[in-house]
Amino acid sequence: MKNLEDLFEHQLKDLYSAESQLVDAIPKMIKSAHDSQLKKAFENHLEETKNHKKRLEEICEELSIKPTGEKCKGMEGLVKEAQSMIDEKTNDEVKDAGLIADAQRVEHYEISGYGTAVRFAKELGHDSIAKKLQKTLDEEYNADQKLDDLAERRLNVKAK
Ligand SMILES: [Fe+2]
Ligand SMILES: [Fe+2]
C-alpha cells in the first residue's frame, strides 16, 4: 500500500470479508436464540447484512477492484466468540443475553470499520461511495440500538 486510496481499498476488502463471514454466522445465531423478538431482530439484520455485502460489491465494481482476497481476522475472532456462546451449556435466558452481548460486539466492530471507510471515501473525493457506506453505517447503528433496547427492556431482566 502506497497511499490512502490503497488503504481505502484494503479496508473495503476487509469489510467485505467481515460481512461475508456474518452472512454465514447470523443464521446460526438465529437458530440458537430462544426469544422470538431476538430471533426477529437477528433475522432482520441478516437481510441488512446481505445488503451490506451487495453494496460493497457495487462499490468495488465502481472502483474496478475485486472485493475478495482479504480475511478479516477481527471478525473471525468475534464469530468464534459467538460460536462458543452458542455451544455454551446454559439456560435459554442466559444464552439469549449472551448472544446479544456477542452480537453487539460485532455491531460495534462494524461501526468502527464503516466509520473509517466513510471518512476515507470523503477524503478521497468518492462522494457517492461515501453516501453508500454511510447508509450501511446508519443501519449498523440502528441494529445496535435495537439490540440495546431488547437487552435492557427484556432479555437481561429474564436472565436475572
Ligand atoms: Fe453489516
Ligand atoms: Fe451489522
Side-chain angles (χ1 to χ4, degrees):
M1 288 181 270
K2 295 185 298 291
N3 53 38
L4 193 67
E5 185 74 44
D6 293 343
L7 185 59
F8 177 55
E9 289 177 3
H10 172 83
Q11 301 269 357
L12 289 174
K13 286 171 185 239
D14 207 67
L15 285 168
Y16 187 74
S17 163
E19 298 286 14
S20 302
Q21 292 182 57
L22 287 174
V23 168
D24 295 335
I26 296 174
K28 294 178 197 162
M29 296 181 77
I30 294 171
K31 243 194 197 161
S32 180
H34 297 89
D35 184 86
S36 61
Q37 291 185 23
L38 180 59
K39 260 186 201 290
K40 190 94 210 110
F42 284 164
E43 277 163 5
N44 289 342
H45 199 54
L46 175 61
E47 289 318 302
E48 285 180 330
T49 299
K50 288 177 186 167
N51 231 338
H52 298 169
K53 198 178 158 187
K54 217 174 80 202
R55 261 180 216 141
L56 288 167
E57 282 164 7
E58 289 164 11
I59 290 168
C60 286
E61 203 182 311
E62 209 177 315
L63 294 168
S64 306
I65 57 166
K66 277 197 304 188
T68 50
E70 280 296 329
K71 174 104 190 191
C72 178
K73 296 193 188 71
M75 189 56 78
E76 193 179 22
L78 291 173
V79 165
K80 268 189 195 152
E81 286 200 27
Q83 185 60 51
S84 50
M85 192 65 229
I86 288 170
D87 297 336
E88 183 76 32
K89 301 244 176 309
T90 179
N91 59 58
D92 297 356
E93 290 77 18
V94 169
K95 177 148 299 192
D96 282 354
L99 287 173
I100 282 220
D102 284 334
Q104 286 197 274
R105 277 200 177 83
V106 166
E107 293 318 311
H108 289 200
Y109 188 76
E110 289 188 287
I111 287 167
S112 162
Y114 279 102
T116 301
V118 168
R119 244 181 295 122
F120 284 180
K122 283 183 184 162
E123 188 65 46
L124 292 162
H126 297 309
D127 294 336
S128 66
I129 291 175
K131 274 198 192 110
K132 246 182 204 166
L133 292 168
Q134 182 67 50
K135 222 183 214 173
T136 298
L137 180 57
D138 291 343
E139 286 173 5
E140 308 292 16
Y141 269 121
N142 283 339
D144 182 54
Q145 191 58 55
K146 270 187 209 147
L147 292 174
D148 231 8
D149 291 345
L150 210 50
E152 250 179 62
R153 181 170 52 73
R154 191 170 160 97
L155 297 178
N156 292 350
V157 185
K158 285 213 254 174
K160 206 164 145 184

